[in-house]
Amino acid sequence: MKSAKFTVSALAVIAASATAAAARDQIQIAGSSTVLPYATIVAEAFGENTDFPTPVVESGGSSAGLKKFCEGVGENTIDVANSSRPIKDSEKEACKAAGVTDIMEVRIGYDGIVFASDIGSNDFAFTAADWFNALAAKVVKDGKVVDNTATKWNEIRADLPDQEILAFVPGTKHGTREVFEEKVIAAGCEESGAAEVFKAELGEEEGEAACMALRTDGKSVDIDGDYTETLARIQSAKNGIGVFGLSFYENNTDKLKVATMGGVAPSTESIASGEYPVSRPLFFYVKKQHIGEIQGLKEFAEFFVSDELAGPEGPLAAYGLVADPELAATQQAVADEATLAQ
């Protein structure tokens, strides 16, 4: 992997004193495996360049992190949840029921979802419809809803490679999975025309569910771990194609080959311009009730979104984050401790 290099002079070092009394010294963070490397870079820099201890950063997926975040308030609960999708209304309600009533949403930038295979494998140029027709549990043939029995990519579209269908997809606890379902599978269902047939034959509600349901016959494999597990599975099954975040791919270009989507190659430039169709914002959520109780928490949030860290010339961009053009507004919201409506 590429290493993000920076010096103390390159950072906006927060003049901070770790003198506040607190029962727990270290900030506790959990959640998205996509946000994990960015949060780790920031946590290490924060520990090295301030008087505060280095925060503890764990993965586990966006949903799992937000579930822990919403368990309540107090030193036995985490302070920050990383997420590769916005918090859901149901999660905000769960937080509120557990006493977590003040949540700060902090957008750190943007990332893209990419489709990558072994470096020595075939070249792929995908559309969302290709992925739907390859991985959906049910598809439309001759105007009828049928079980998906496709085994090779060239059965999906004649100009795709003659290669067995095998996809490694993030499991349901990952935010990447939800974005994949929405922006690739559901979009492909619409693009292919299957959505109309599903709704006509199965009804509105069942038709929508059919658009999102993936195969369970071994062609689509859920990966509950992080992207390193997906990479390991591809290295063991050379015909496999994995769903990754852009930054992970960019730091493993010696092992992986990336596909185009809708004729566009994924890159920080194509994501920043909006040309690449499968991109998403990345977030972390701060428990405002812990500010003042857990030392360095607000300082960490401000440090994370500083120009020196999250700006286009910072170490996060060097690792693959697409800098947020509205970063200044995020910085102001963090300074003001702005919270979400619940």
Side-chain angles (χ1 to χ4, degrees):
M1 289 191 178
K2 299 174 186 173
S3 60
K5 296 186 180 297
F6 44 90
T7 64
V8 174
S9 61
L11 300 172
V13 178
I14 296 172
S17 167
T19 56
R24 170 157 56 79
D25 289 338
Q26 288 176 293
I27 297 166
Q28 301 284 340
I29 304 167
S32 167
S33 56
T34 301
V35 180
L36 175 66
Y38 304 125
T40 300
I41 289 169
V42 176
E44 291 175 354
F46 187 70
E48 290 171 2
N49 295 288
T50 74
D51 292 331
F52 296 110
T54 301
V56 176
V57 186
E58 297 178 348
S59 187
S62 300
S63 296
L66 285 162
K67 183 178 180 180
K68 289 182 71 174
F69 183 82
C70 291
E71 286 176 352
V73 175
E75 65 179 85
N76 61 333
T77 65
I78 67 170
D79 312 301
V80 177
N82 294 328
S83 184
S84 58
R85 59 161 175 82
I87 189 171
K88 299 176 182 177
D89 288 342
S90 60
E91 290 165 333
K92 288 191 279 187
E93 287 300 317
C95 269
K96 188 175 181 180
V100 183
T101 56
D102 295 298
I103 302 170
M104 296 165 58
E105 180 180 78
V106 184
R107 188 175 64 204
I108 65 168
Y110 291 85
D111 184 34
I113 293 177
V114 307
F115 309 91
S117 50
D118 182 77
I119 188 70
S121 68
N122 292 307
D123 292 330
F124 280 88
F126 287 122
T127 66
D130 295 334
W131 277 92
F132 168 77
N133 285 320
L135 297 194
K138 292 187 180 295
V139 292
V140 174
K141 287 190 177 178
D142 300 322
K144 297 291 183 182
V145 177
V146 298
D147 290 337
N148 193 347
T149 58
T151 60
K152 292 189 174 184
W153 283 104
N154 63 351
E155 293 174 47
I156 304 304
R157 204 176 75 236
D159 57 349
L160 288 173
D162 180 8
Q163 179 174 312
E164 290 286 332
I165 295 170
L166 177 60
F168 298 115
V169 181
T172 54
K173 67 182 180 179
H174 292 283
T176 303
R177 170 61 169 265
E178 297 181 34
V179 178
F180 172 71
E181 288 178 339
E182 176 189 343
K183 294 201 169 188
V184 181
I185 299 300
C189 187
E190 292 282 352
E191 184 181 298
S192 69
E196 287 186 20
V197 181
F198 282 172
K199 289 174 186 177
E201 190 168 322
L202 305 174
E204 188 81 20
E205 192 171 327
E206 284 191 33
E208 288 183 5
C211 268
M212 303 286 277
L214 300 186
R215 302 170 71 163
T216 57
D217 59 357
K219 296 299 182 185
S220 177
V221 179
D222 281 11
I223 302 296
D224 289 329
D226 60 19
Y227 295 134
T228 57
E229 182 182 343
T230 305
L231 176 59
R233 297 292 287 270
I234 288 173
Q235 290 175 324
S236 297
K238 299 294 186 181
N239 63 314
I241 299 175
V243 179
F244 297 95
L246 173 70
S247 64
F248 186 89
Y249 159 70
E250 288 193 330
N251 285 278
N252 288 277
T253 52
D254 58 328
K255 303 179 186 73
L256 293 169
K257 174 186 291 187
V258 75
T260 61
M261 176 58 77
V264 181
S267 67
T268 54
E269 292 77 19
S270 63
I271 290 168
S273 69
E275 185 183 9
Y276 185 71
V278 197
S279 61
R280 53 13 189 334
L282 303 179
F283 304 90
F284 65 87
Y285 291 88
V286 178
K287 201 172 289 180
K288 183 179 175 180
Q289 288 145 292
H290 282 194
I291 291 177
E293 299 298 324
I294 303 301
Q295 59 176 343
L297 182 55
K298 182 175 180 179
E299 289 85 350
F300 173 76
E302 291 179 319
F303 190 78
F304 203 132
V305 297
S306 65
D307 290 337
E308 290 78 8
L309 269 293
E313 304 302 320
L316 303 189
Y319 195 89
L321 183 73
V322 177
D324 191 340
E326 298 178 0
L327 186 59
T330 297
Q331 293 166 348
Q332 188 60 55
V334 172
D336 294 341
E337 300 179 17
T339 58
L340 292 171
Q342 284 179 272

